[in-house]
Amino acid sequence: MNKKYEEYWSALGIALGLNTDETPLNWNSIAYIACKQRTLPILYHGLWLQGKEALLPDKLRAQMKKDTCYNSVIGFSRRMDLFRVLKAAVEQNIKMVCFKGYILADTYPEWKTRVSSDSDIYVYERDREKAQNLLCSLGYEIEAEKSKKQVPVYIHKERKHIIELHFSLWEDYEGKQIDILDNMKITNEKSLIQVRLEDMDIWTLSPTNHL
C-alpha cells in the first residue's frame, strides 16, 4: 500500500479509537486524501471526540474545524430540503425510496459528518410522471446535460440542492450483469424498510440491498 494511504488509514484508526500508536504522521497529506475521499469531517470529528486534536498542526486544525462546521451547516440545509420533498410526495401519494446519502448518514456516530453532494431517490415507474411534476412544482429544474434516461437530475438553484431521481438503480446500463442484478429484485416493495428520521418514516432499501 502507498505510504501516504497507510498514514491515512492509521489516522482514521486514531480518530475511531482503534489505533493508539501516535507515531508522527504527515497530517497535511492525510487531510488532502481525506478531502478527496470525502472523509475529512469524520476524521476531524473523530480526533475531537478522542481528544487527539492536538496531533494536528495549528493551521490545519483550524481549517479542518472550519470545513467540518461548514459541512454540518450545508448538510442540515440539504437534509431539510430532502424532507420537504418527501413530505410533499406523501401528500400526493407518491412512494419515494431514499438510498445512500442521508439515509446512510444516520448510521454514522454523527450524521453531520457524512459528505453528500446530492440526494438519491428511487421512484417506481407508476409514479414517474407524478414525481417529476412534483419536483418542478417545488422549484427544481432538470439538468439535461447531467441527466440520463433512467436518472434525470434535478437542481433547486436557489437552495443548491440536487436530486438524482432514479427509475432504475442501474441507471442506463444494460447487459447480462444488469439482468442478473434485476433478478435480485432489490427494489421489490416487499423488501423495503422504513426508518425514522426527524418526524418522518422514510422508505429505503434494506441494509443487505444497500450493499
Side-chain angles (χ1 to χ4, degrees):
M1 183 186 295
N2 182 296
K3 186 177 187 301
K4 291 182 179 180
Y5 275 87
E6 286 183 357
E7 291 199 340
Y8 166 71
W9 287 111
S10 179
L12 281 180
I14 293 172
L16 296 173
L18 303 175
N19 181 9
T20 58
D21 181 7
E22 295 187 7
T23 301
L25 301 172
N26 185 339
W27 286 100
N28 286 298
S29 173
I30 291 167
Y32 175 76
I33 293 173
C35 283
K36 288 179 63 177
Q37 300 295 327
R38 303 170 77 181
T39 56
L40 190 139
I42 297 175
L43 178 61
Y44 176 78
H45 186 73
L47 291 172
W48 176 75
L49 285 177
Q50 298 297 329
K52 301 294 184 180
E53 281 182 288
L55 294 175
L56 299 167
D58 292 344
K59 185 175 180 180
L60 178 62
R61 181 169 64 250
Q63 186 61 50
M64 288 178 68
K65 181 178 181 179
K66 179 180 178 181
D67 291 347
T68 299
C69 290
Y70 176 77
N71 182 72
S72 296
V73 172
I74 295 299
F76 179 79
S77 175
R78 289 174 179 164
R79 189 178 172 98
M80 293 301 102
D81 288 334
L82 174 61
F83 289 163
R84 182 170 69 102
V85 171
L86 295 177
K87 287 179 179 179
V90 170
E91 291 171 0
Q92 295 194 24
N93 198 30
I94 301 170
K95 192 166 191 174
M96 288 188 165
V97 181
C98 294
F99 63 104
K100 300 192 296 185
Y102 295 108
I103 293 297
L104 288 182
D106 264 56
T107 66
Y108 286 42
E110 284 283 343
W111 67 261
K112 298 184 288 293
T113 60
R114 180 177 171 85
V115 178
S116 294
S117 59
D118 56 34
S119 299
D120 291 275
I121 298 175
Y122 175 82
V123 172
Y124 293 95
E125 186 62 34
R126 64 176 183 267
D127 290 326
R128 178 191 283 254
E129 186 174 349
K130 288 170 62 179
Q132 290 179 300
N133 290 338
L134 172 65
L135 290 180
C136 291
S137 72
L138 293 174
Y140 289 82
E141 301 174 26
I142 193 165
E143 289 199 298
E145 293 183 359
K146 296 182 180 179
S147 296
K148 298 178 181 179
K149 181 180 179 181
Q150 296 296 341
V151 190
V153 178
Y154 287 84
I155 182 171
H156 195 296
K157 292 184 177 179
E158 182 180 341
R159 302 288 302 167
K160 295 182 173 58
H161 181 224
I162 298 172
I163 290 178
E164 290 192 358
L165 194 62
H166 296 252
F167 304 120
S168 168
L169 295 184
W170 326 121
E171 301 184 356
D172 289 356
Y173 296 110
E174 298 178 345
K176 291 183 178 180
Q177 290 183 324
I178 300 303
D179 291 339
I180 293 172
L181 292 172
D182 270 338
N183 288 332
M184 293 172 65
K185 302 186 183 305
I186 290 176
T187 55
N188 185 303
E189 293 190 61
K190 292 182 179 180
S191 71
L192 300 178
I193 62 171
Q194 283 188 300
V195 295
R196 187 77 175 176
L197 296 182
E198 305 297 337
D199 61 342
M200 286 192 68
D201 291 318
I202 297 175
W203 288 106
T204 187
L205 305 177
S206 69
T208 301
N209 287 342
H210 248 118
L211 295 174

Short mmCIF file of all heavy atoms in Angstrom, two decimals, residues 74-110:
data_model
loop_
_atom_site.label_atom_id
_atom_site.label_comp_id
_atom_site.label_asym_id
_atom_site.label_seq_id
_atom_site.Cartn_x
_atom_site.Cartn_y
_atom_site.Cartn_z
N ILE A 74 -24.27 22.93 5.68
CA ILE A 74 -24.76 22.56 4.36
C ILE A 74 -25.56 21.26 4.44
O ILE A 74 -26.62 21.11 3.82
CB ILE A 74 -23.59 22.39 3.37
CG1 ILE A 74 -22.89 23.74 3.14
CG2 ILE A 74 -24.07 21.82 2.05
CD1 ILE A 74 -23.78 24.80 2.54
N GLY A 75 -25.05 20.31 5.21
CA GLY A 75 -25.72 19.03 5.36
C GLY A 75 -27.11 19.18 5.97
O GLY A 75 -28.07 18.55 5.53
N PHE A 76 -27.22 20.05 6.98
CA PHE A 76 -28.52 20.27 7.62
C PHE A 76 -29.50 20.89 6.63
O PHE A 76 -30.67 20.49 6.55
CB PHE A 76 -28.36 21.19 8.83
CG PHE A 76 -29.65 21.49 9.54
CD1 PHE A 76 -30.20 20.57 10.41
CD2 PHE A 76 -30.33 22.68 9.31
CE1 PHE A 76 -31.40 20.82 11.06
CE2 PHE A 76 -31.53 22.95 9.95
CZ PHE A 76 -32.06 22.02 10.83
N SER A 77 -29.02 21.84 5.84
CA SER A 77 -29.87 22.50 4.84
C SER A 77 -30.38 21.50 3.81
O SER A 77 -31.58 21.48 3.49
CB SER A 77 -29.08 23.62 4.15
OG SER A 77 -29.83 24.19 3.11
N ARG A 78 -29.49 20.66 3.30
CA ARG A 78 -29.89 19.67 2.28
C ARG A 78 -30.81 18.61 2.88
O ARG A 78 -31.73 18.12 2.21
CB ARG A 78 -28.64 19.03 1.68
CG ARG A 78 -27.86 19.98 0.79
CD ARG A 78 -26.57 19.40 0.31
NE ARG A 78 -25.86 20.33 -0.57
CZ ARG A 78 -24.59 20.22 -0.89
NH1 ARG A 78 -23.86 19.22 -0.40
NH2 ARG A 78 -24.02 21.11 -1.69
N ARG A 79 -30.59 18.28 4.11
CA ARG A 79 -31.44 17.30 4.79
C ARG A 79 -32.86 17.84 4.89
O ARG A 79 -33.83 17.12 4.63
CB ARG A 79 -30.85 17.03 6.18
CG ARG A 79 -31.46 15.88 6.98
CD ARG A 79 -30.69 15.78 8.28
NE ARG A 79 -31.26 14.86 9.21
CZ ARG A 79 -30.86 13.60 9.39
NH1 ARG A 79 -29.91 13.12 8.64
NH2 ARG A 79 -31.41 12.83 10.30
N MET A 80 -33.00 19.12 5.26
CA MET A 80 -34.32 19.74 5.36
C MET A 80 -34.99 19.84 3.99
O MET A 80 -36.21 19.65 3.86
CB MET A 80 -34.20 21.12 6.00
CG MET A 80 -33.78 21.11 7.47
SD MET A 80 -34.90 20.17 8.55
CE MET A 80 -33.97 18.64 8.77
N ASP A 81 -34.19 20.12 2.97
CA ASP A 81 -34.74 20.18 1.61
C ASP A 81 -35.29 18.81 1.19
O ASP A 81 -36.35 18.72 0.57
CB ASP A 81 -33.65 20.61 0.61
CG ASP A 81 -33.28 22.08 0.77
OD1 ASP A 81 -34.14 22.86 1.24
OD2 ASP A 81 -32.16 22.46 0.40
N LEU A 82 -34.55 17.77 1.53
CA LEU A 82 -35.00 16.41 1.20
C LEU A 82 -36.30 16.08 1.91
O LEU A 82 -37.23 15.54 1.31
CB LEU A 82 -33.91 15.40 1.58
CG LEU A 82 -34.28 13.92 1.43
CD1 LEU A 82 -34.61 13.60 -0.04
CD2 LEU A 82 -33.14 13.03 1.92
N PHE A 83 -36.40 16.42 3.19
CA PHE A 83 -37.62 16.16 3.95
C PHE A 83 -38.80 16.91 3.34
O PHE A 83 -39.93 16.41 3.32
CB PHE A 83 -37.44 16.56 5.41
CG PHE A 83 -36.53 15.66 6.19
CD1 PHE A 83 -35.99 16.04 7.40
CD2 PHE A 83 -36.19 14.39 5.69
CE1 PHE A 83 -35.15 15.20 8.11
CE2 PHE A 83 -35.34 13.55 6.40
CZ PHE A 83 -34.83 13.96 7.61
N ARG A 84 -38.56 18.13 2.86
CA ARG A 84 -39.63 18.92 2.25
C ARG A 84 -40.19 18.19 1.02
O ARG A 84 -41.40 18.12 0.82
CB ARG A 84 -39.10 20.29 1.85
CG ARG A 84 -40.14 21.23 1.24
CD ARG A 84 -39.57 22.63 1.12
NE ARG A 84 -38.52 22.68 0.12
CZ ARG A 84 -38.68 23.17 -1.11
NH1 ARG A 84 -39.85 23.64 -1.49
NH2 ARG A 84 -37.68 23.21 -1.96
N VAL A 85 -39.29 17.62 0.22
CA VAL A 85 -39.71 16.87 -0.97
C VAL A 85 -40.47 15.62 -0.56
O VAL A 85 -41.53 15.30 -1.13
CB VAL A 85 -38.48 16.50 -1.83
CG1 VAL A 85 -38.87 15.53 -2.94
CG2 VAL A 85 -37.85 17.75 -2.43
N LEU A 86 -39.96 14.90 0.43
CA LEU A 86 -40.59 13.64 0.85
C LEU A 86 -41.98 13.88 1.44
O LEU A 86 -42.91 13.09 1.20
CB LEU A 86 -39.69 12.92 1.85
CG LEU A 86 -38.33 12.45 1.32
CD1 LEU A 86 -37.51 11.83 2.44
CD2 LEU A 86 -38.50 11.47 0.18
N LYS A 87 -42.12 14.93 2.21
CA LYS A 87 -43.43 15.24 2.78
C LYS A 87 -44.43 15.58 1.69
O LYS A 87 -45.60 15.17 1.74
CB LYS A 87 -43.30 16.41 3.77
CG LYS A 87 -42.62 16.01 5.08
CD LYS A 87 -42.50 17.19 6.03
CE LYS A 87 -41.84 16.76 7.34
NZ LYS A 87 -41.66 17.89 8.29
N ALA A 88 -43.98 16.33 0.68
CA ALA A 88 -44.86 16.68 -0.44
C ALA A 88 -45.25 15.42 -1.21
O ALA A 88 -46.39 15.29 -1.69
CB ALA A 88 -44.17 17.67 -1.36
N ALA A 89 -44.32 14.48 -1.32
CA ALA A 89 -44.59 13.22 -2.03
C ALA A 89 -45.65 12.41 -1.30
O ALA A 89 -46.55 11.83 -1.92
CB ALA A 89 -43.31 12.41 -2.18
N VAL A 90 -45.56 12.37 0.02
CA VAL A 90 -46.55 11.63 0.82
C VAL A 90 -47.94 12.24 0.60
O VAL A 90 -48.93 11.52 0.44
CB VAL A 90 -46.18 11.68 2.32
CG1 VAL A 90 -47.33 11.14 3.16
CG2 VAL A 90 -44.92 10.86 2.57
N GLU A 91 -48.00 13.57 0.57
CA GLU A 91 -49.28 14.25 0.38
C GLU A 91 -49.90 13.92 -0.97
O GLU A 91 -51.12 13.93 -1.12
CB GLU A 91 -49.08 15.76 0.52
CG GLU A 91 -48.75 16.20 1.94
CD GLU A 91 -48.35 17.66 2.01
OE1 GLU A 91 -48.33 18.34 0.95
OE2 GLU A 91 -48.05 18.14 3.13
N GLN A 92 -49.04 13.63 -1.97
CA GLN A 92 -49.55 13.32 -3.31
C GLN A 92 -49.53 11.82 -3.60
O GLN A 92 -49.68 11.40 -4.74
CB GLN A 92 -48.72 14.07 -4.36
CG GLN A 92 -48.87 15.58 -4.26
CD GLN A 92 -48.34 16.30 -5.49
OE1 GLN A 92 -48.27 15.74 -6.57
NE2 GLN A 92 -47.98 17.56 -5.32
N ASN A 93 -49.34 11.03 -2.54
CA ASN A 93 -49.38 9.57 -2.67
C ASN A 93 -48.34 9.04 -3.66
O ASN A 93 -48.62 8.15 -4.46
CB ASN A 93 -50.78 9.10 -3.07
CG ASN A 93 -51.00 7.62 -2.79
OD1 ASN A 93 -50.42 7.06 -1.86
ND2 ASN A 93 -51.81 6.98 -3.62
N ILE A 94 -47.15 9.63 -3.61
CA ILE A 94 -46.03 9.18 -4.44
C ILE A 94 -45.05 8.46 -3.52
O ILE A 94 -44.58 9.03 -2.53
CB ILE A 94 -45.31 10.36 -5.12
CG1 ILE A 94 -46.28 11.15 -6.00
CG2 ILE A 94 -44.12 9.86 -5.94
CD1 ILE A 94 -45.70 12.46 -6.52
N LYS A 95 -44.74 7.23 -3.84
CA LYS A 95 -43.82 6.46 -3.00
C LYS A 95 -42.39 6.72 -3.43
O LYS A 95 -41.96 6.33 -4.52
CB LYS A 95 -44.11 4.97 -3.10
CG LYS A 95 -43.39 4.14 -2.03
CD LYS A 95 -43.97 2.74 -1.96
CE LYS A 95 -43.47 1.99 -0.74
NZ LYS A 95 -44.13 0.69 -0.59
N MET A 96 -41.64 7.42 -2.58
CA MET A 96 -40.24 7.71 -2.86
C MET A 96 -39.37 6.89 -1.93
O MET A 96 -39.61 6.83 -0.71
CB MET A 96 -39.95 9.21 -2.67
CG MET A 96 -40.54 10.08 -3.77
SD MET A 96 -39.99 11.81 -3.65
CE MET A 96 -40.46 12.42 -5.26
N VAL A 97 -38.36 6.26 -2.50
CA VAL A 97 -37.45 5.40 -1.74
C VAL A 97 -36.07 6.05 -1.72
O VAL A 97 -35.43 6.20 -2.75
CB VAL A 97 -37.35 4.00 -2.38
CG1 VAL A 97 -36.42 3.11 -1.55
CG2 VAL A 97 -38.74 3.37 -2.51
N CYS A 98 -35.64 6.46 -0.55
CA CYS A 98 -34.32 7.10 -0.42
C CYS A 98 -33.25 6.04 -0.23
O CYS A 98 -33.47 5.02 0.43
CB CYS A 98 -34.31 8.05 0.78
SG CYS A 98 -35.39 9.45 0.60
N PHE A 99 -32.09 6.29 -0.81
CA PHE A 99 -30.97 5.39 -0.57
C PHE A 99 -29.67 6.18 -0.63
O PHE A 99 -29.64 7.30 -1.12
CB PHE A 99 -30.96 4.21 -1.55
CG PHE A 99 -30.79 4.58 -3.00
CD1 PHE A 99 -29.57 4.38 -3.64
CD2 PHE A 99 -31.84 5.11 -3.73
CE1 PHE A 99 -29.41 4.70 -4.98
CE2 PHE A 99 -31.69 5.42 -5.08
CZ PHE A 99 -30.47 5.22 -5.70
N LYS A 100 -28.62 5.59 -0.08
CA LYS A 100 -27.32 6.27 0.05
C LYS A 100 -27.49 7.56 0.86
O LYS A 100 -28.38 7.68 1.70
CB LYS A 100 -26.70 6.54 -1.32
CG LYS A 100 -26.45 5.29 -2.15
CD LYS A 100 -25.58 5.57 -3.36
CE LYS A 100 -26.19 6.49 -4.37
NZ LYS A 100 -25.36 6.64 -5.58
N GLY A 101 -26.64 8.52 0.61
CA GLY A 101 -26.76 9.86 1.19
C GLY A 101 -27.16 9.93 2.65
O GLY A 101 -26.53 9.34 3.51
N TYR A 102 -28.24 10.66 2.91
CA TYR A 102 -28.63 10.95 4.29
C TYR A 102 -29.24 9.77 5.02
O TYR A 102 -29.36 9.79 6.25
CB TYR A 102 -29.56 12.17 4.30
CG TYR A 102 -28.83 13.40 3.83
CD1 TYR A 102 -29.10 13.97 2.59
CD2 TYR A 102 -27.80 13.96 4.59
CE1 TYR A 102 -28.39 15.07 2.13
CE2 TYR A 102 -27.09 15.05 4.15
CZ TYR A 102 -27.39 15.61 2.91
OH TYR A 102 -26.66 16.69 2.48
N ILE A 103 -29.65 8.76 4.27
CA ILE A 103 -30.12 7.54 4.94
C ILE A 103 -28.92 6.84 5.59
O ILE A 103 -28.95 6.46 6.76
CB ILE A 103 -30.80 6.60 3.94
CG1 ILE A 103 -32.10 7.24 3.43
CG2 ILE A 103 -31.09 5.25 4.57
CD1 ILE A 103 -33.14 7.47 4.51
N LEU A 104 -27.85 6.69 4.82
CA LEU A 104 -26.64 6.07 5.37
C LEU A 104 -26.00 6.96 6.43
O LEU A 104 -25.36 6.46 7.36
CB LEU A 104 -25.63 5.79 4.25
CG LEU A 104 -25.97 4.64 3.30
CD1 LEU A 104 -24.85 4.44 2.29
CD2 LEU A 104 -26.20 3.34 4.07
N ALA A 105 -26.18 8.26 6.29
CA ALA A 105 -25.58 9.18 7.26
C ALA A 105 -26.05 8.90 8.67
O ALA A 105 -25.32 9.11 9.64
CB ALA A 105 -25.91 10.62 6.87
N ASP A 106 -27.28 8.41 8.82
CA ASP A 106 -27.80 8.14 10.15
C ASP A 106 -27.21 6.90 10.79
O ASP A 106 -27.49 6.59 11.95
CB ASP A 106 -29.33 8.04 10.12
CG ASP A 106 -29.98 9.36 10.50
OD1 ASP A 106 -29.66 10.37 9.84
OD2 ASP A 106 -30.77 9.38 11.46
N THR A 107 -26.40 6.16 10.04
CA THR A 107 -25.67 5.03 10.63
C THR A 107 -24.33 5.50 11.18
O THR A 107 -23.62 4.73 11.83
CB THR A 107 -25.43 3.92 9.59
OG1 THR A 107 -24.56 4.39 8.55
CG2 THR A 107 -26.75 3.47 8.97
N TYR A 108 -23.95 6.76 10.89
CA TYR A 108 -22.70 7.32 11.40
C TYR A 108 -22.91 7.76 12.86
O TYR A 108 -24.04 8.05 13.27
CB TYR A 108 -22.29 8.55 10.58
CG TYR A 108 -21.74 8.27 9.21
CD1 TYR A 108 -22.32 7.31 8.38
CD2 TYR A 108 -20.67 8.98 8.71
CE1 TYR A 108 -21.82 7.06 7.11
CE2 TYR A 108 -20.16 8.74 7.44
CZ TYR A 108 -20.74 7.79 6.64
OH TYR A 108 -20.25 7.55 5.39
N PRO A 109 -21.83 7.82 13.66
CA PRO A 109 -21.97 8.35 15.02
C PRO A 109 -22.62 9.74 15.02
O PRO A 109 -23.37 10.08 15.92
CB PRO A 109 -20.52 8.39 15.52
CG PRO A 109 -19.84 7.31 14.74
CD PRO A 109 -20.47 7.36 13.38
N GLU A 110 -22.30 10.54 13.99
CA GLU A 110 -22.91 11.85 13.80
C GLU A 110 -23.26 11.99 12.33
O GLU A 110 -22.36 11.97 11.49
CB GLU A 110 -21.95 12.98 14.22
CG GLU A 110 -21.80 13.18 15.70
CD GLU A 110 -23.01 13.91 16.29
OE1 GLU A 110 -23.77 14.53 15.51
OE2 GLU A 110 -23.17 13.86 17.51
#
